[in-house]
Amino acid sequence: MQKDTNSGAPGTPSPRLRRRRGSNEVPGEVVKANGAHMLVDDRNKYKSMLIRLYSTLWMIGGFAFIIYMGHLYIWAMVVVIQIFMAKELFNLLRKAHEDKQLPGFRLLNW
C-alpha cells in the first residue's frame, strides 16, 4: 500500500490510503457488465433453444431425405457444399488481403 500525501492541500485531516490493483484482478465494472448478460432468468433463451431444435430437426431430416433419394442427390449435395465452402474461403482470403491493399487479388483467385 502507498500513502498519498496531499502536502499541497491545506486543511486535509489525514492522508488517504491507496491500494494498487494487482495484475490478476478484474475491475468491478467489467464484472458487472459480464454478469448482467446471463441467461438465467431470460425468456428469450427458450425461444432460441426452440429455433435451434427446429433447425436441427430440419437439417437431420433433409440429410436423411437426400440419402434416401440416392446417388445423384448425394453427389449434388457434395457439390453444393463444396461450392459454398470455396465461396466462403475466397471471401475470407479477400478480406484478409484487403487490409494489405493488393491490386487485382480477385483475379488471382482463378
Side-chain angles (χ1 to χ4, degrees):
M1 288 204 213
Q2 294 179 350
K3 288 186 177 182
D4 185 17
T5 57
N6 290 333
S7 59
T12 308
S14 64
R16 67 180 185 161
L17 295 175
R18 291 176 43 185
R19 182 175 169 265
R20 285 188 179 178
R21 184 175 61 217
S23 63
N24 61 350
E25 293 181 23
V26 179
E29 60 270 5
V30 172
V31 174
K32 289 178 185 175
N34 288 339
H37 298 293
M38 293 183 67
L39 295 175
V40 175
D41 297 324
D42 193 11
R43 291 287 181 198
N44 289 333
K45 72 177 177 180
Y46 297 114
K47 183 179 179 183
S48 174
M49 193 167 49
L50 281 174
I51 290 171
R52 290 179 185 187
L53 176 70
Y54 292 149
S55 298
T56 302
L57 292 176
W58 274 105
M59 284 190 286
I60 291 172
F63 182 73
F65 179 71
I66 288 174
I67 297 297
Y68 174 76
M69 291 300 290
H71 293 86
L72 182 64
Y73 292 96
I74 294 172
W75 175 81
M77 178 186 69
V78 169
V79 169
V80 168
I81 289 172
Q82 286 180 345
I83 289 171
F84 280 117
M85 287 177 62
K87 178 183 171 189
E88 184 67 26
L89 287 174
F90 286 144
N91 284 336
L92 287 173
L93 284 172
R94 183 178 48 83
K95 287 179 184 177
H97 288 288
E98 277 180 354
D99 295 336
K100 297 177 184 178
Q101 301 294 329
L102 294 175
F105 178 73
R106 295 192 79 161
L107 296 174
L108 293 175
N109 284 339
W110 301 103

Coordinates of all heavy atoms in Angstrom, one line a residue, residues 45-109:
K45 N -34.2 -17.2 -24.0 CA -33.3 -18.4 -24.2 C -34.2 -19.6 -24.6 O -33.7 -20.5 -25.4 CB -32.5 -18.7 -22.9 CG -33.3 -19.3 -21.8 CD -32.5 -19.6 -20.6 CE -33.3 -20.1 -19.5 NZ -32.5 -20.4 -18.3
Y46 N -35.4 -19.7 -24.2 CA -36.3 -20.8 -24.6 C -36.7 -20.7 -26.1 O -36.7 -21.7 -26.8 CB -37.5 -20.9 -23.7 CG -37.2 -21.1 -22.3 CD1 -37.4 -20.2 -21.3 CD2 -36.6 -22.4 -21.9 CE1 -37.1 -20.5 -20.0 CE2 -36.3 -22.6 -20.6 CZ -36.6 -21.7 -19.6 OH -36.3 -22.0 -18.3
K47 N -36.9 -19.4 -26.5 CA -37.2 -19.2 -27.9 C -36.0 -19.6 -28.8 O -36.1 -20.2 -29.8 CB -37.5 -17.7 -28.1 CG -37.9 -17.4 -29.5 CD -38.3 -15.9 -29.6 CE -38.7 -15.6 -31.1 NZ -39.0 -14.2 -31.2
S48 N -34.8 -19.2 -28.3 CA -33.6 -19.5 -29.1 C -33.4 -21.1 -29.1 O -33.0 -21.6 -30.1 CB -32.4 -18.9 -28.4 OG -31.2 -19.3 -29.0
M49 N -33.7 -21.7 -28.0 CA -33.5 -23.2 -27.9 C -34.5 -23.9 -28.8 O -34.1 -24.8 -29.5 CB -33.7 -23.6 -26.5 CG -33.3 -25.0 -26.2 SD -33.2 -25.5 -24.5 CE -34.7 -24.9 -23.8
L50 N -35.7 -23.4 -28.9 CA -36.7 -24.0 -29.9 C -36.3 -23.8 -31.3 O -36.4 -24.7 -32.1 CB -38.1 -23.4 -29.6 CG -38.8 -23.9 -28.4 CD1 -40.1 -23.2 -28.2 CD2 -39.1 -25.4 -28.6
I51 N -35.8 -22.6 -31.6 CA -35.3 -22.3 -33.0 C -34.2 -23.3 -33.4 O -34.1 -23.9 -34.4 CB -34.9 -20.9 -33.2 CG1 -36.1 -20.0 -33.1 CG2 -34.1 -20.6 -34.5 CD1 -35.8 -18.5 -33.0
R52 N -33.2 -23.5 -32.4 CA -32.1 -24.4 -32.7 C -32.6 -25.8 -32.8 O -32.1 -26.6 -33.6 CB -31.1 -24.3 -31.6 CG -30.4 -23.0 -31.6 CD -29.4 -22.9 -30.5 NE -28.7 -21.6 -30.5 CZ -27.7 -21.2 -29.8 NH1 -27.2 -22.1 -29.0 NH2 -27.2 -20.0 -29.8
L53 N -33.6 -26.2 -32.0 CA -34.1 -27.6 -32.1 C -34.8 -27.8 -33.4 O -34.6 -28.8 -34.1 CB -35.1 -27.8 -30.9 CG -35.8 -29.1 -31.0 CD1 -34.9 -30.3 -30.6 CD2 -37.0 -29.1 -30.0
Y54 N -35.6 -26.8 -33.9 CA -36.3 -27.0 -35.2 C -35.3 -27.0 -36.3 O -35.5 -27.8 -37.2 CB -37.3 -25.8 -35.4 CG -38.5 -25.8 -34.5 CD1 -39.1 -24.7 -34.1 CD2 -39.0 -27.0 -34.0 CE1 -40.2 -24.7 -33.2 CE2 -40.1 -27.0 -33.1 CZ -40.7 -25.8 -32.8 OH -41.8 -25.9 -31.9
S55 N -34.3 -26.2 -36.2 CA -33.3 -26.2 -37.3 C -32.5 -27.5 -37.3 O -32.2 -28.0 -38.4 CB -32.2 -25.1 -37.0 OG -32.9 -23.8 -37.1
T56 N -32.2 -28.0 -36.2 CA -31.5 -29.3 -36.1 C -32.4 -30.4 -36.7 O -31.9 -31.3 -37.5 CB -31.2 -29.7 -34.6 OG1 -30.4 -28.6 -34.1 CG2 -30.5 -31.0 -34.5
L57 N -33.7 -30.5 -36.4 CA -34.6 -31.5 -36.9 C -34.7 -31.4 -38.4 O -34.7 -32.4 -39.1 CB -35.9 -31.4 -36.2 CG -35.9 -31.8 -34.7 CD1 -37.3 -31.6 -34.1 CD2 -35.5 -33.2 -34.6
W58 N -34.8 -30.1 -38.9 CA -34.9 -29.9 -40.4 C -33.6 -30.4 -41.1 O -33.7 -31.0 -42.2 CB -35.2 -28.5 -40.7 CG -36.7 -28.2 -40.7 CD1 -37.3 -27.5 -39.7 CD2 -37.6 -28.6 -41.7 NE1 -38.6 -27.4 -40.0 CE2 -38.9 -28.1 -41.2 CE3 -37.6 -29.3 -42.8 CZ2 -40.0 -28.2 -41.9 CZ3 -38.8 -29.4 -43.6 CH2 -40.0 -28.9 -43.1
M59 N -32.5 -30.1 -40.5 CA -31.2 -30.5 -41.1 C -31.0 -32.0 -41.1 O -30.6 -32.6 -42.2 CB -30.0 -29.8 -40.4 CG -29.9 -28.4 -40.8 SD -28.3 -27.7 -40.2 CE -28.7 -27.5 -38.5
I60 N -31.4 -32.7 -40.0 CA -31.3 -34.1 -40.0 C -32.3 -34.8 -40.9 O -31.9 -35.7 -41.7 CB -31.5 -34.6 -38.5 CG1 -30.3 -34.2 -37.7 CG2 -31.7 -36.1 -38.5 CD1 -30.5 -34.5 -36.2
G61 N -33.5 -34.2 -41.0 CA -34.5 -34.7 -41.9 C -34.1 -34.5 -43.3 O -34.3 -35.4 -44.2
G62 N -33.6 -33.4 -43.7 CA -33.1 -33.1 -45.0 C -32.0 -34.0 -45.4 O -32.0 -34.5 -46.6
F63 N -31.1 -34.2 -44.5 CA -29.9 -35.1 -44.8 C -30.4 -36.6 -45.1 O -30.0 -37.2 -46.0 CB -28.9 -35.1 -43.7 CG -27.7 -35.9 -44.0 CD1 -26.8 -35.6 -44.9 CD2 -27.5 -37.1 -43.3 CE1 -25.7 -36.3 -45.1 CE2 -26.4 -37.9 -43.5 CZ -25.5 -37.5 -44.4
A64 N -31.3 -37.0 -44.2 CA -31.9 -38.4 -44.4 C -32.7 -38.5 -45.7 O -32.6 -39.5 -46.4 CB -32.8 -38.7 -43.2
F65 N -33.4 -37.4 -46.1 CA -34.1 -37.5 -47.3 C -33.2 -37.5 -48.5 O -33.4 -38.3 -49.5 CB -35.0 -36.2 -47.4 CG -35.8 -36.1 -48.7 CD1 -36.9 -37.0 -48.9 CD2 -35.5 -35.2 -49.7 CE1 -37.6 -36.9 -50.1 CE2 -36.2 -35.1 -50.8 CZ -37.3 -36.0 -51.0
I66 N -32.1 -36.8 -48.5 CA -31.1 -36.8 -49.6 C -30.5 -38.2 -49.6 O -30.3 -38.7 -50.7 CB -30.0 -35.7 -49.4 CG1 -30.7 -34.3 -49.7 CG2 -28.8 -35.9 -50.3 CD1 -29.8 -33.2 -49.4
I67 N -30.2 -38.8 -48.5 CA -29.6 -40.2 -48.5 C -30.6 -41.1 -49.1 O -30.3 -42.0 -49.9 CB -29.2 -40.6 -47.1 CG1 -28.1 -39.7 -46.5 CG2 -28.8 -42.0 -47.0 CD1 -26.8 -39.8 -47.3
Y68 N -31.9 -40.9 -48.8 CA -32.9 -41.8 -49.3 C -33.1 -41.7 -50.8 O -33.4 -42.7 -51.5 CB -34.2 -41.5 -48.6 CG -35.4 -42.2 -49.1 CD1 -35.6 -43.6 -48.8 CD2 -36.4 -41.6 -49.9 CE1 -36.7 -44.2 -49.3 CE2 -37.5 -42.2 -50.4 CZ -37.6 -43.6 -50.1 OH -38.7 -44.3 -50.6
M69 N -32.9 -40.5 -51.3 CA -33.1 -40.2 -52.7 C -32.1 -40.9 -53.6 O -32.4 -41.2 -54.8 CB -33.2 -38.7 -53.0 CG -34.4 -38.0 -52.4 SD -35.9 -38.6 -53.1 CE -35.9 -38.0 -54.7
G70 N -30.9 -41.1 -53.2 CA -29.9 -41.9 -54.0 C -28.7 -41.2 -54.3 O -28.4 -40.1 -53.8
H71 N -27.9 -41.8 -55.2 CA -26.5 -41.4 -55.5 C -26.5 -40.0 -56.2 O -25.6 -39.2 -55.8 CB -25.9 -42.4 -56.4 CG -25.6 -43.7 -55.8 ND1 -26.6 -44.7 -55.7 CD2 -24.5 -44.2 -55.1 CE1 -26.1 -45.7 -55.1 NE2 -24.9 -45.4 -54.7
L72 N -27.4 -39.7 -57.1 CA -27.3 -38.5 -57.8 C -27.5 -37.3 -56.8 O -26.8 -36.3 -56.9 CB -28.4 -38.4 -58.9 CG -28.4 -37.2 -59.8 CD1 -27.1 -37.1 -60.5 CD2 -29.6 -37.2 -60.7
Y73 N -28.4 -37.4 -55.9 CA -28.7 -36.3 -54.9 C -27.6 -36.2 -53.9 O -27.3 -35.1 -53.5 CB -30.1 -36.6 -54.3 CG -31.2 -36.4 -55.3 CD1 -31.8 -37.5 -55.9 CD2 -31.7 -35.2 -55.6 CE1 -32.8 -37.4 -56.8 CE2 -32.7 -35.0 -56.5 CZ -33.3 -36.2 -57.1 OH -34.3 -36.0 -58.0
I74 N -27.0 -37.3 -53.5 CA -25.8 -37.2 -52.6 C -24.7 -36.5 -53.4 O -24.0 -35.6 -52.8 CB -25.4 -38.6 -52.2 CG1 -26.5 -39.3 -51.3 CG2 -24.1 -38.6 -51.4 CD1 -26.2 -40.7 -51.0
W75 N -24.5 -36.8 -54.6 CA -23.4 -36.1 -55.4 C -23.7 -34.6 -55.5 O -22.8 -33.8 -55.3 CB -23.4 -36.8 -56.8 CG -22.5 -36.1 -57.7 CD1 -21.1 -36.2 -57.8 CD2 -22.8 -35.1 -58.7 NE1 -20.6 -35.4 -58.8 CE2 -21.6 -34.7 -59.4 CE3 -24.0 -34.5 -59.1 CZ2 -21.6 -33.8 -60.4 CZ3 -24.0 -33.6 -60.1 CH2 -22.8 -33.2 -60.7
A76 N -25.0 -34.3 -55.7 CA -25.4 -32.9 -55.8 C -25.2 -32.1 -54.5 O -24.7 -31.0 -54.4 CB -26.8 -32.7 -56.3
M77 N -25.5 -32.8 -53.4 CA -25.3 -32.2 -52.1 C -23.8 -31.9 -51.8 O -23.4 -30.9 -51.3 CB -25.8 -33.2 -51.0 CG -25.6 -32.6 -49.6 SD -26.1 -33.8 -48.3 CE -24.8 -35.1 -48.5
V78 N -22.9 -32.9 -52.2 CA -21.5 -32.7 -52.0 C -21.0 -31.5 -52.9 O -20.2 -30.7 -52.4 CB -20.7 -34.0 -52.3 CG1 -19.3 -33.8 -52.4 CG2 -21.1 -35.1 -51.3
V79 N -21.5 -31.4 -54.1 CA -21.0 -30.3 -55.0 C -21.5 -29.0 -54.4 O -20.7 -28.0 -54.4 CB -21.6 -30.5 -56.4 CG1 -21.4 -29.3 -57.3 CG2 -20.9 -31.7 -57.0
V80 N -22.7 -28.9 -53.9 CA -23.3 -27.7 -53.4 C -22.5 -27.3 -52.1 O -22.1 -26.1 -51.9 CB -24.8 -27.8 -53.1 CG1 -25.3 -26.6 -52.2 CG2 -25.6 -27.9 -54.3
I81 N -22.2 -28.2 -51.3 CA -21.4 -27.9 -50.1 C -20.0 -27.4 -50.5 O -19.5 -26.5 -49.9 CB -21.3 -29.2 -49.1 CG1 -22.6 -29.4 -48.5 CG2 -20.2 -29.0 -48.1 CD1 -22.7 -30.7 -47.7
Q82 N -19.4 -28.0 -51.5 CA -18.0 -27.6 -51.9 C -18.1 -26.2 -52.5 O -17.2 -25.4 -52.3 CB -17.5 -28.6 -52.9 CG -17.0 -29.9 -52.3 CD -16.4 -30.8 -53.4 OE1 -16.6 -30.6 -54.6 NE2 -15.7 -31.8 -52.9
I83 N -19.1 -25.9 -53.2 CA -19.2 -24.5 -53.8 C -19.4 -23.5 -52.7 O -18.7 -22.4 -52.7 CB -20.5 -24.4 -54.8 CG1 -20.1 -25.2 -56.0 CG2 -20.8 -23.0 -55.1 CD1 -21.3 -25.4 -56.9
F84 N -20.2 -23.7 -51.7 CA -20.4 -22.8 -50.6 C -19.1 -22.7 -49.8 O -18.7 -21.6 -49.3 CB -21.5 -23.2 -49.7 CG -22.9 -22.7 -50.2 CD1 -23.8 -23.7 -50.6 CD2 -23.2 -21.4 -50.4 CE1 -25.0 -23.3 -51.1 CE2 -24.4 -21.0 -51.0 CZ -25.3 -22.0 -51.3
M85 N -18.3 -23.8 -49.6 CA -17.1 -23.7 -48.8 C -16.0 -22.9 -49.6 O -15.3 -22.1 -49.0 CB -16.6 -25.1 -48.6 CG -17.3 -25.9 -47.5 SD -16.8 -27.5 -47.3 CE -15.1 -27.2 -46.7
A86 N -15.9 -23.1 -50.9 CA -15.0 -22.3 -51.7 C -15.3 -20.8 -51.7 O -14.4 -20.0 -51.6 CB -15.0 -22.9 -53.1
K87 N -16.6 -20.5 -51.8 CA -17.1 -19.2 -51.8 C -16.7 -18.5 -50.4 O -16.1 -17.4 -50.4 CB -18.6 -19.1 -52.0 CG -19.1 -17.7 -51.9 CD -20.7 -17.8 -52.0 CE -21.2 -16.4 -51.8 NZ -22.7 -16.4 -51.7
E88 N -16.9 -19.2 -49.3 CA -16.5 -18.7 -48.0 C -15.0 -18.5 -47.9 O -14.6 -17.5 -47.3 CB -17.1 -19.6 -46.9 CG -16.9 -19.1 -45.5 CD -17.6 -17.8 -45.2 OE1 -18.7 -17.6 -45.8 OE2 -17.2 -17.1 -44.3
L89 N -14.3 -19.5 -48.3 CA -12.8 -19.3 -48.3 C -12.3 -18.2 -49.1 O -11.4 -17.4 -48.6 CB -12.1 -20.6 -48.7 CG -12.3 -21.8 -47.7 CD1 -11.7 -23.1 -48.3 CD2 -11.6 -21.5 -46.4
F90 N -12.8 -18.0 -50.3 CA -12.4 -16.9 -51.1 C -12.7 -15.5 -50.5 O -12.0 -14.6 -50.5 CB -13.0 -17.0 -52.5 CG -12.3 -18.0 -53.4 CD1 -13.0 -18.7 -54.3 CD2 -10.9 -18.3 -53.3 CE1 -12.4 -19.7 -55.1 CE2 -10.3 -19.2 -54.1 CZ -11.1 -19.9 -55.0
N91 N -13.9 -15.5 -49.8 CA -14.3 -14.2 -49.2 C -13.4 -14.0 -48.0 O -13.0 -12.8 -47.7 CB -15.8 -14.3 -48.7 CG -16.7 -14.1 -49.8 OD1 -16.4 -13.5 -50.8 ND2 -17.9 -14.6 -49.6
L92 N -13.0 -15.0 -47.2 CA -12.1 -14.8 -46.1 C -10.7 -14.4 -46.6 O -10.1 -13.5 -46.0 CB -11.9 -16.1 -45.3 CG -13.1 -16.5 -44.4 CD1 -12.9 -17.8 -43.8 CD2 -13.3 -15.4 -43.3
L93 N -10.2 -15.0 -47.7 CA -8.9 -14.6 -48.2 C -9.0 -13.1 -48.8 O -8.1 -12.3 -48.6 CB -8.5 -15.5 -49.4 CG -8.0 -16.9 -49.0 CD1 -7.9 -17.7 -50.2 CD2 -6.7 -16.7 -48.3
R94 N -10.1 -12.8 -49.4 CA -10.2 -11.4 -50.0 C -10.2 -10.4 -48.8 O -9.5 -9.4 -48.9 CB -11.5 -11.3 -50.8 CG -11.6 -9.9 -51.4 CD -12.9 -9.9 -52.3 NE -14.1 -10.3 -51.7 CZ -14.8 -9.6 -50.9 NH1 -14.5 -8.4 -50.6 NH2 -15.9 -10.1 -50.3
K95 N -10.9 -10.7 -47.7 CA -11.0 -9.7 -46.6 C -9.6 -9.6 -45.9 O -9.2 -8.6 -45.5 CB -12.1 -10.2 -45.6 CG -13.5 -9.9 -46.1 CD -14.5 -10.4 -45.2 CE -15.9 -10.2 -45.7 NZ -16.9 -10.7 -44.8
A96 N -8.9 -10.7 -45.8 CA -7.6 -10.7 -45.2 C -6.6 -9.9 -46.0 O -5.8 -9.2 -45.5 CB -7.1 -12.1 -45.0
H97 N -6.7 -10.0 -47.3 CA -5.8 -9.3 -48.2 C -6.2 -7.9 -48.5 O -5.4 -7.1 -49.1 CB -5.5 -10.1 -49.4 CG -4.7 -11.3 -49.2 ND1 -3.3 -11.3 -48.9 CD2 -5.0 -12.6 -49.1 CE1 -2.9 -12.5 -48.7 NE2 -3.8 -13.3 -48.8
E98 N -7.4 -7.5 -48.2 CA -7.9 -6.1 -48.5 C -7.1 -5.2 -47.5 O -6.9 -4.0 -47.9 CB -9.4 -6.0 -48.3 CG -10.2 -6.4 -49.5 CD -11.7 -6.2 -49.3 OE1 -12.1 -5.9 -48.1 OE2 -12.4 -6.4 -50.2
D99 N -6.8 -5.7 -46.4 CA -6.0 -4.9 -45.4 C -4.6 -4.5 -46.0 O -4.1 -3.4 -45.7 CB -5.9 -5.6 -44.1 CG -7.2 -5.8 -43.4 OD1 -8.1 -5.0 -43.7 OD2 -7.3 -6.7 -42.6
K100 N -4.1 -5.4 -46.8 CA -2.8 -5.1 -47.4 C -2.8 -4.3 -48.7 O -1.8 -4.0 -49.2 CB -2.1 -6.4 -47.6 CG -1.8 -7.2 -46.3 CD -1.1 -8.5 -46.6 CE -1.0 -9.3 -45.3 NZ -0.4 -10.6 -45.6
Q101 N -4.0 -4.1 -49.2 CA -4.3 -3.3 -50.4 C -3.5 -3.9 -51.6 O -2.8 -3.2 -52.3 CB -3.8 -1.9 -50.2 CG -4.6 -1.1 -49.1 CD -6.0 -1.0 -49.4 OE1 -6.4 -0.8 -50.5 NE2 -6.9 -0.9 -48.4
L102 N -3.7 -5.2 -51.9 CA -3.1 -5.8 -53.0 C -4.0 -5.6 -54.3 O -5.1 -6.0 -54.3 CB -2.9 -7.3 -52.8 CG -1.9 -7.7 -51.7 CD1 -1.9 -9.2 -51.5 CD2 -0.5 -7.2 -52.1
P103 N -3.5 -5.0 -55.3 CA -4.3 -4.8 -56.5 C -4.5 -6.1 -57.3 O -3.6 -6.9 -57.4 CB -3.5 -3.8 -57.3 CG -2.1 -4.0 -56.9 CD -2.2 -4.4 -55.4
G104 N -5.7 -6.3 -57.7 CA -6.0 -7.5 -58.6 C -6.0 -8.8 -57.9 O -5.9 -9.9 -58.5
F105 N -6.3 -8.8 -56.6 CA -6.3 -10.0 -55.8 C -7.4 -11.0 -56.3 O -7.2 -12.2 -56.3 CB -6.4 -9.8 -54.3 CG -6.4 -11.0 -53.5 CD1 -5.3 -11.8 -53.3 CD2 -7.6 -11.4 -52.9 CE1 -5.3 -12.9 -52.6 CE2 -7.6 -12.6 -52.2 CZ -6.5 -13.3 -52.0
R106 N -8.6 -10.4 -56.6 CA -9.7 -11.3 -57.0 C -9.4 -12.0 -58.3 O -9.9 -13.1 -58.6 CB -11.0 -10.5 -57.1 CG -11.4 -9.9 -55.8 CD -12.8 -9.4 -55.8 NE -13.7 -10.5 -55.8 CZ -14.9 -10.4 -55.5 NH1 -15.4 -9.3 -55.2 NH2 -15.7 -11.5 -55.4
L107 N -8.6 -11.4 -59.2 CA -8.2 -12.1 -60.4 C -7.3 -13.2 -60.2 O -7.2 -14.2 -60.9 CB -7.6 -11.0 -61.4 CG -8.5 -9.9 -61.9 CD1 -7.8 -8.9 -62.7 CD2 -9.7 -10.5 -62.7
L108 N -6.5 -13.1 -59.1 CA -5.5 -14.1 -58.8 C -6.2 -15.4 -58.2 O -5.6 -16.4 -58.2 CB -4.5 -13.6 -57.8 CG -3.5 -12.5 -58.3 CD1 -2.7 -12.0 -57.2 CD2 -2.7 -13.0 -59.5
N109 N -7.4 -15.3 -57.8 CA -8.1 -16.5 -57.2 C -8.3 -17.5 -58.3 O -8.2 -18.7 -58.0 CB -9.5 -16.1 -56.7 CG -9.4 -15.4 -55.4 OD1 -8.4 -15.5 -54.7 ND2 -10.4 -14.7 -55.0

